[in-house]
């Protein structure tokens, strides 16, 4: 055990427990009475303000993917989530990608600003999942897209002259739309979630919940443990003197943000207001890390070679 300098007998006994005995540091005295309990203030809590300033300056990326049969209201729900109140600035960093296979995956970027904070939002649309007659392995192009984004990130990360801030195209959250007509999960839904939950955060939603009766909805949700039965709309209506997003039916207006009508507001709060940072962290620390470890392992512990890193190797010789 390490023993520090022993100055007197009393402290010698203490040294058994304390690695080093030394005089209590002299704290510069402040006039007593002004704010005595601030005497030892270090300023740890200012980290919050520092982080706030940084986020204000740099903004952040958030990439959300929607998957489900065509016509289930995917595009509408995304519009509902990131609706009008936020000012839509330029979409100068638009990026489109196409995989000409069973599904065509398309990423569209928006810059959304609210309260001085910029979010670079990418919506990755996967039209018509499971629309084919034969849907065997139809999740593969989606899994491939997700992995390609991890690969891109990994290549940037292992690059010798790596960027200070690696552009993040990784899918942070995948909303999976379940048809309200089946009254339960189809084998394809289960297959998708089983395979994809290993590579991405999946949030299942029951689509077009307004087309089900209350009993159907409750039963479906309980049986399958589905938290969110949602309704989407980008149309506004006047209800009790307030403008609300809703769907007009012959029986009345379904308000998307009214919790007695559907769980859209719960989904919005979960994805944006309480778990956005968590979704990003789980993507980075779990899904990406798993990909990265596997990839580096497959490569005998070496980083994957890219044409860029090869160039850098040459220029560094
Ligand atoms: P996508 O193919 O999954 O992107 O579906 P869309 O967003 O294009 O919507 C398909 C159709 O369904 C449109 O006519 C929408 O107005 C309608 N729709 C979207 N969301 C809802 C909903 O929550 N309830 C109902 N009843 N209709 C919806
Ligand atoms: Mg669509």
């Amino acid at each position: 055990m390490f023993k520090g300098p022993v100055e007197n007998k009393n402290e010698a006994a203490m040294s058994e427990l304390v690695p080093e005995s030394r005089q209590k540091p002299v704290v510069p005295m402040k006039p007593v009475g002004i704010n005595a309990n601030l005497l030892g203030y270090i300023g740890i809590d200012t980290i919050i303000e520092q982080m706030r300033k940084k986020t204000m300056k740099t903004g952040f990326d958030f990439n959300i993917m929607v998957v489900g049969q065509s016509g289930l209201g995917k595009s509408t729900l995304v519009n509902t989530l990131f609706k009008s109140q936020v000012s839509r600035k330029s979409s100068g960093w638009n990026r489109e990608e196409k995989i000409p296979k069973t599904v065509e995956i398309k990423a569209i970027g928006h810059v959304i600003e609210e309260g001085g904070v910029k979010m670079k939002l990418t919506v990755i649309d996967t039209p018509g999942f499971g629309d084919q007659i034969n849907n065997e392995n139809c999740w593969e192009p989606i899994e491939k897209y997700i992995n390609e984004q991890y690969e891109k990130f990994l290549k940037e990360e292992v690059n010798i002259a790596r960027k200070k801030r690696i552009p993040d195209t990784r899918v942070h959250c995948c909303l999976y739309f379940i048809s309200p007509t089946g009254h339960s999960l189809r084998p394809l839904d289960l297959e998708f979630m089983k395979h994809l939950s290993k590579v991405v955060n999946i949030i299942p939603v029951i689509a077009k919940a307004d087309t089900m009766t209350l009993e159907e909805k409750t039963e479906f949700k309980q049986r399958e443990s589905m938290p969110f039965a949602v309704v989407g709309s980008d149309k506004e209506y006047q209800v009790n003197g307030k403008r609300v997003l809703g769907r007009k039916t012959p029986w009345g207006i379904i308000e998307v943000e009214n919790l007695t009508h559907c769980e859209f507001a719960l989904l919005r709060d979960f994805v944006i207001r309480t778990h956005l940072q968590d979704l990003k962290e789980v993507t980075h620390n779990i899904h990406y890390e798993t990909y990265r470890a596997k990839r580096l392992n497959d490569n005998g512990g070496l980083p994957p070679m890219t044409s860029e890193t090869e160039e850098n190797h040459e220029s560094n010789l």
Side-chain angles (χ1 to χ4, degrees):
M1 183 179 166
F2 172 76
K3 281 188 186 166
V6 177
E7 275 157 21
N8 61 39
K9 258 191 156 184
N10 281 349
E11 276 175 2
M14 289 281 287
S15 69
E16 288 300 319
L17 301 168
V18 186
E20 192 180 339
S21 66
R22 54 184 165 164
Q23 291 222 311
K24 218 177 164 189
V26 181
V27 179
M29 289 299 285
K30 270 192 183 172
V32 182
I34 292 181
N35 201 344
N37 57 3
L38 270 185
L39 197 64
Y41 179 69
I42 302 172
I44 294 169
D45 56 354
T46 63
I47 186 76
I48 310 279
E49 185 57 18
Q50 294 171 43
M51 285 163 125
R52 195 184 73 85
K53 281 195 181 135
K54 199 161 180 187
T55 309
M56 294 284 273
K57 212 167 104 194
T58 55
F60 65 94
D61 300 304
F62 186 58
N63 309 322
I64 187 167
M65 178 185 248
V66 288
V67 179
Q69 263 177 324
S70 20
L72 281 185
K74 299 184 294 295
S75 306
T76 309
L77 195 87
V78 169
N79 284 340
T80 320
L81 268 178
F82 305 101
K83 64 185 171 190
S84 42
Q85 281 142 8
V86 287
S87 69
R88 235 143 252 217
K89 292 270 161 97
S90 78
S91 35
W93 61 293
N94 259 9
R95 195 174 55 82
E96 285 202 6
E97 262 180 49
K98 282 183 182 171
I99 301 173
K101 279 199 178 165
T102 37
V103 284
E104 174 194 334
I105 299 173
K106 209 174 180 185
I108 297 175
H110 312 260
V111 176
I112 294 178
E113 192 177 329
E114 203 176 35
V117 181
K118 276 203 188 82
M119 170 165 83
K120 291 178 202 148
L121 170 75
T122 301
V123 177
I124 303 123
D125 205 350
T126 59
F129 177 78
D131 285 355
Q132 311 297 317
I133 295 171
N134 178 3
N135 290 311
E136 209 179 313
N137 297 350
C138 65
W139 62 84
E140 276 175 356
I142 294 169
E143 188 176 22
K144 182 166 169 260
Y145 179 90
I146 292 168
N147 283 332
E148 276 167 5
Q149 311 316 309
Y150 293 146
E151 183 67 24
K152 262 193 212 166
F153 197 89
L154 181 59
K155 279 184 177 157
E156 289 283 356
E157 210 182 46
V158 298
N159 207 340
I160 290 179
R162 69 174 168 183
K163 295 185 182 109
K164 236 176 157 179
R165 229 179 134 221
I166 301 172
D168 193 359
T169 61
R170 296 169 300 179
V171 180
H172 299 125
C173 164
C174 170
L175 294 183
Y176 184 72
F177 287 67
I178 294 153
S179 164
T181 52
H183 304 286
S184 66
L185 293 174
R186 298 168 304 166
L188 184 64
D189 299 329
L190 293 169
E191 284 284 319
F192 179 85
M193 290 193 269
K194 195 178 105 200
H195 282 90
L196 272 288
S197 60
K198 290 182 197 133
V199 294
V200 71
N201 296 317
I202 298 182
I203 303 177
V205 298
I206 300 172
K208 296 184 168 180
D210 54 317
T211 61
M212 310 169 91
T213 65
L214 283 178
E215 291 77 30
E216 283 170 342
K217 197 167 84 177
T218 315
E219 208 207 302
F220 194 158
K221 282 184 53 174
Q222 275 173 358
R223 187 160 21 91
E224 308 286 3
S225 318
M226 293 284 130
F228 306 113
V230 296
V231 177
S233 169
D234 41 21
K235 292 210 174 59
E236 282 193 339
Y237 296 95
Q238 195 87 19
V239 175
N240 300 330
K242 269 198 297 179
R243 294 201 71 74
V244 296
L245 286 168
R247 305 193 72 84
K248 199 170 180 181
T249 72
W251 308 276
I253 289 166
I254 297 154
E255 301 163 46
V256 300
E257 287 177 273
N258 186 333
L259 275 179
T260 59
H261 296 190
C262 76
E263 281 111 6
F264 168 80
L266 293 181
L267 174 71
R268 191 240 358 248
D269 287 0
F270 182 85
V271 175
I272 303 171
R273 301 187 185 177
T274 60
H275 285 73
L276 196 146
Q277 186 58 26
D278 259 8
L279 290 165
K280 292 189 66 168
E281 280 173 21
V282 172
T283 302
H284 184 74
N285 297 334
I286 297 175
H287 298 304
Y288 172 65
E289 199 57 32
T290 307
Y291 179 87
R292 185 178 177 277
K294 186 173 177 300
R295 191 71 177 77
L296 297 183
N297 227 2
D298 288 350
N299 221 19
L302 290 169
M305 288 297 264
T306 68
S307 51
E308 251 177 277
T309 46
E310 275 158 16
E311 273 163 30
N312 277 322
H313 278 302
E314 275 164 26
S315 63
N316 281 332
L317 285 175

